[in-house]
Amino acid sequence: MLDEAREAPQAVARQLREDGERWQAFGARLRQQPPASLLTIARGSSDHAAHYAAYLVMARLGRLVTSMPMSLVTLYQSQIRCEGLASFAFSQSGQSPDLVGPTEYFRQCGATTCAFVNVPDSPLGRAAEWLFPLHAGQERSVAATKSFIAQLVAGARLVTSWQDDATLGAALRRLPQAMERACAADWTTALDVLGEADRLFVIGRGLGLPVAMEAALKFKETCGIQAEAFSGAEVQHGPMRLIEEGYPLLVFAPRGPAQAGLLELAQAMRSRGARVLLAAPPGTPQANLLLVESDSPELDPVCAIQSFYPMVEALARARGNDPDRPPHLRKVTKTS
């Protein structure tokens, strides 16, 4: 897991060198024939990456994106109307029937179908009209790292191509250098706070929420910690009841419109006695986990998860777990 997390900057650089003409053609297709409705198809870590892509599309293009409940097609046999529909499937292996089935259905019914997948010659890769390999290379650890980051970058490339945005494109090309710095960030403070934790909240908002969701999953997967991800707004409803003296929280507060509210929340939770790990850019008051900044605030979440992965791998080992082979889990999960 640690080796693969450290390979992520090279994987991203490799992806950014490949398939340029196809990305340009797909962007031109979306501009010339704008879809009337959009949805994502994904599970697990891939679904968190899909959330990031969806948020970028909604924020930048003003188009609503739905997260597809795959069982509508695979179990309930619903006849989804496909006129003007575009579907975006995210996967590492491309093997799961509940991603392949809806993609095949939508393509047969005339929708624009796209797959971002790390194994191009997979059932999902063959099912979609538009295939964009992640180029992350083989991933042996059960816990996904570099393939998840490659999916985040694919989501950013989707928006860049659709908008034909030279500024975001230039920021993407320089992202691997920022990721190298992020990989070297010292997050060992978190080991002291979380070494004995059996539960915690992971907080984010906006483009940072998908990273919080991914971090919570990795805490469960590698460390056996009951971690839950919440929006900085949503946590202030019912979940707030659980936060008491000593309760651990990890708050992701990268640059952007959501940052001020997250910093305010972190301070309020500290005043209640919670043990707050605040991940924020250098110079942020009371930040104890430093976030490396990229050339665009919209890409900062990529650097945030790049810093997180080595820390959670070390935490798993410190707690006596093997992060590469967590119990009861497999690398490829097939659901229908």
Side-chain angles (χ1 to χ4, degrees), residues 34 57 73-74 94 100 155 169 175 201 210 212 218 226 230 253 287 290 325 332:
V57 169
V73 173
T74 61
V100 177
L175 180 60
F201 285 169
K218 287 300 184 285
Q226 179 60 54
F230 287 101
L290 296 185
R325 287 172 288 274
V332 177

Side-chain angles (χ1 to χ4, degrees), residues 58 89 150 159 167 189 199 237 279 281 283 295 303:
M58 290 187 284
V159 172
T167 301
T189 298
R199 57 179 182 163
H237 294 273
D295 281 10
C303 293

Side-chain angles (χ1 to χ4, degrees), residues 187 190 193-194 200-213 215-216 219 227-233 235-236 240 243 247-255 258-271 274-281 284-291 301 304-305 307-308 311:
W187 276 36
V193 174
L194 301 176
L200 80 148
F201 285 169
V202 188
I203 310 300
R205 199 170 185 190
L207 285 168
L209 181 56
V211 166
M213 296 164 65
F219 279 127
E228 292 189 76
F230 287 101
S231 156
V235 76
Q236 299 184 59
M240 187 69 76
I243 302 175
Y247 198 103
L249 290 90
L250 170 56
V251 180
F252 285 98
R255 294 178 296 171
Q259 186 188 59
L262 290 165
L263 297 180
E264 183 179 339
L265 174 67
Q267 178 56 38
M269 294 304 96
R270 279 199 176 99
S271 69
R275 302 189 72 187
V276 177
L277 290 164
L278 176 59
T284 305
Q286 297 190 311
N288 44 15
L289 302 174
L290 296 185
L291 292 181
I305 201 66
S307 294
F308 170 83
M311 181 278 290

Side-chain angles (χ1 to χ4, degrees), residues 51-324:
H51 274 73
Y52 173 79
Y55 203 97
L56 269 180
V57 169
M58 290 187 284
R60 279 180 155 256
L61 290 146
R63 295 178 176 274
L64 293 177
V65 185
T66 300
S67 178
M68 172 71 183
M70 283 85 87
S71 60
L72 286 175
V73 173
T74 61
L75 298 182
Y76 290 87
Q77 307 297 309
S78 300
Q79 300 301 302
I80 307 296
R81 298 190 62 171
C82 296
E83 298 89 346
L85 173 67
S87 71
F88 304 98
F90 291 75
S91 178
Q92 297 155 40
S93 69
Q95 296 287 335
S96 189
D98 58 357
L99 276 72
V100 177
T103 300
E104 290 177 337
Y105 170 82
F106 292 138
R107 186 173 183 180
Q108 291 167 4
C109 294
T112 297
T113 55
C114 176
F116 309 106
V117 62
N118 200 37
V119 183
D121 186 21
S122 62
L124 180 61
R126 295 189 292 270
E129 174 188 2
W130 293 86
L131 168 64
F132 293 98
L134 299 177
H135 299 289
Q138 184 178 6
E139 196 172 50
R140 295 181 177 86
S141 173
V142 169
T145 53
K146 61 180 181 177
S147 64
F148 172 75
I149 289 175
Q151 289 179 66
L152 294 179
V153 172
R157 287 187 87 180
L158 166 64
V159 172
T160 301
S161 300
W162 192 342
Q163 291 192 302
D164 196 19
D165 188 314
T167 301
L168 186 57
L172 268 172
R173 289 191 294 274
R174 292 188 289 270
L175 180 60
Q177 289 73 39
M179 291 171 60
E180 293 281 5
R181 298 193 301 273
C183 195
D186 182 3
W187 276 36
T188 54
T189 298
L191 303 185
D192 295 332
V193 174
L194 301 176
E196 302 297 327
D198 59 2
R199 57 179 182 163
L200 80 148
F201 285 169
V202 188
I203 310 300
R205 199 170 185 190
L207 285 168
L209 181 56
V211 166
M213 296 164 65
E214 169 66 6
L217 177 62
K218 287 300 184 285
F219 279 127
K220 297 185 186 82
E221 196 173 27
T222 65
C223 301
I225 299 174
Q226 179 60 54
E228 292 189 76
F230 287 101
S231 156
E234 190 64 34
V235 76
Q236 299 184 59
H237 294 273
M240 187 69 76
R241 167 66 178 80
L242 299 176
I243 302 175
E244 53 192 14
E245 183 76 27
Y247 198 103
L249 290 90
L250 170 56
V251 180
F252 285 98
R255 294 178 296 171
Q259 186 188 59
L262 290 165
L263 297 180
E264 183 179 339
L265 174 67
Q267 178 56 38
M269 294 304 96
R270 279 199 176 99
S271 69
R272 290 175 55 169
R275 302 189 72 187
V276 177
L277 290 164
L278 176 59
T284 305
Q286 297 190 311
N288 44 15
L289 302 174
L290 296 185
L291 292 181
V292 170
E293 296 177 353
S294 69
D295 281 10
S296 168
E298 292 164 315
L299 301 178
D300 285 358
V302 180
C303 293
I305 201 66
Q306 179 72 79
S307 294
F308 170 83
Y309 281 144
M311 181 278 290
V312 79
E313 195 271 351
L315 178 64
R317 294 193 183 280
R319 292 167 62 97
N321 299 310
D322 182 352
D324 296 333

